[in-house]
Amino acid sequence: MTTPAPRRTTAKSIADDLRAQIKSGALRPGDVLPTSRELAEHYGVTLKTVGSGIDLLKTEGLVIGEQGGRRRVRASRPIVWNLTRFERGKRRDSSAGDDWAAAIRDAGREPEQHVSVQLEQADAQMSAWLQVPIGSEVVQRVRLRTVDGQPYQLSTSSFPMQIAEGTPLLDDGDISMPGGILAAIGHPQLQVRDEITIRMPSPEETDQLQLPPGTPVAEHVRIGYGEIGPVRVMVTIAPGDRHRLVYELEV
C-alpha cells in the first residue's frame, strides 16, 4: 500500500490555521503574531509563502500591520448603535453634547465631535433626498466622531438653505441645543426614513477613519421629515469593525 504524500503547506493553509487560532482565542485581540521567519520555520515554508498567508488575513481585516513589520490581531471595541432609539422621542441633546454623545457616555466611553460647515449645491441624489431643485444651495455640517480618541464615524448632515439661514446650523463647531437644533429653530423632525448600504470605503474614508485594509463600512442615510417635508438628511459612514447596529421593532 502506498503511503500518501504529505500535504503541502500553502499560503491559504497558513491563513486557515492562524484564522482558527484567532477565532478560538488562542491568538487574542491585540496579540503580536510571530515573526515571518518564525512562521516560516514553524510551517516549513518560504518567507514569501508566509507573507502571502498574512496578506489574506489582512484582506479579511483580522490582522493589521505596524511600523517595523510586526503584525497584530486586530483589536477593536465596537459600540452598540441603537438606531431605533437614536434621535427618537425625548432627545438628550444639551449644551454638553447631542443625543449620540449621550449614548456613548452611557456606555462608559468618551465621545468627541469635530464639526465644520460648508455650502454645497444639491446634486441629483441630494435633490431627491431633500426635495429641493438640483443646484440649489444646501448647508452641510461635516463631523468626525471619535470614541476614546479613535475615529468611529464620519457624519454629514445637510439642510435646505431656507431652513438653515440665520440659525446656529451655519456656525462651525460642535453645537447642540436641548431637544436638538432643528426643534430649537422651529423645524422639528416628526418622522425619519433610514437607508443602510454595506460597501467598501473610499480612499478618503479609509484615511479619515484610519481603517485597516479589508474593513467594510455601513453607509447609514437618515432623512428627517418635518411638517413641510424633508428638513435634513444625515449620511453617516460607520466602520464595520467598530459598530453593532441595532433596531427594535414592534411586530
Side-chain angles (χ1 to χ4, degrees):
M1 183 174 179
T2 303
T3 302
R7 186 175 180 180
R8 184 170 65 92
T9 302
T10 64
K12 181 180 182 302
S13 63
I14 293 172
D16 289 343
D17 185 43
L18 293 174
R19 186 189 305 107
Q21 293 183 53
I22 292 170
K23 292 186 179 299
S24 71
L27 285 171
R28 297 174 297 177
D31 279 357
V32 177
L33 295 184
T35 66
S36 294
R37 189 168 300 280
E38 289 170 342
L39 290 171
E41 292 177 356
H42 175 75
Y43 291 108
V45 297
T46 65
L47 293 175
K48 182 178 179 180
T49 300
V50 168
S52 297
I54 296 297
D55 285 344
L56 291 173
L57 298 179
K58 287 183 178 179
T59 300
E60 295 173 20
L62 293 175
V63 169
I64 59 174
E66 295 183 334
Q67 290 185 344
R70 297 308 298 265
R71 284 76 56 107
R72 288 183 183 271
V73 179
R74 177 188 287 180
S76 63
R77 294 181 61 198
I79 60 172
V80 175
W81 194 22
N82 192 313
L83 293 168
T84 311
R85 301 175 188 172
F86 179 51
E87 301 187 315
R88 183 179 182 182
K90 186 177 180 181
R91 291 177 54 127
R92 294 175 293 171
D93 301 69
S94 68
S95 58
D98 63 10
D99 197 55
W100 179 86
I104 298 302
R105 289 194 179 95
D106 285 349
R109 313 285 292 274
E110 184 59 39
E112 191 172 354
Q113 304 192 69
H114 308 273
V115 185
S116 61
V117 175
Q118 61 191 32
L119 303 181
E120 297 289 345
Q121 292 185 330
D123 59 13
Q125 180 64 84
M126 189 62 66
S127 170
W129 281 336
L130 287 178
Q131 297 177 19
V132 298
I134 294 177
S136 61
E137 197 167 43
V138 297
V139 175
Q140 291 189 335
R141 295 184 62 80
V142 182
R143 67 185 66 219
L144 172 64
R145 291 171 169 159
T146 68
V147 178
D148 301 331
Q150 181 183 15
Y152 262 65
Q153 293 181 356
L154 288 173
S155 185
T156 301
S157 294
S158 301
F159 309 86
M161 177 56 79
Q162 62 265 33
I163 287 178
E165 193 168 14
T167 74
L169 292 173
L170 285 165
D171 298 338
D172 282 318
D174 184 14
I175 300 170
S176 58
M177 305 173 76
I181 296 178
L182 281 170
I185 65 175
H187 293 283
Q189 298 179 108
L190 303 179
Q191 67 180 77
V192 298
R193 169 186 168 85
D194 284 354
E195 302 174 4
I196 298 176
T197 304
I198 307 300
R199 60 173 175 81
M200 296 307 294
S202 69
E204 293 77 15
E205 292 164 348
T206 296
D207 182 59
Q208 289 178 285
L209 291 168
Q210 300 175 18
L211 300 177
T215 305
V217 296
E219 179 180 282
H220 173 250
V221 178
R222 172 161 287 188
I223 305 169
Y225 296 87
E227 291 182 352
I228 62 172
V231 294
R232 183 203 68 177
V233 59
M234 179 171 60
V235 180
T236 302
I237 309 302
D241 65 332
R242 300 169 204 174
H243 292 79
R244 185 181 307 124
L245 306 183
V246 174
Y247 277 94
E248 298 170 334
L249 305 173
E250 293 183 1
V251 296

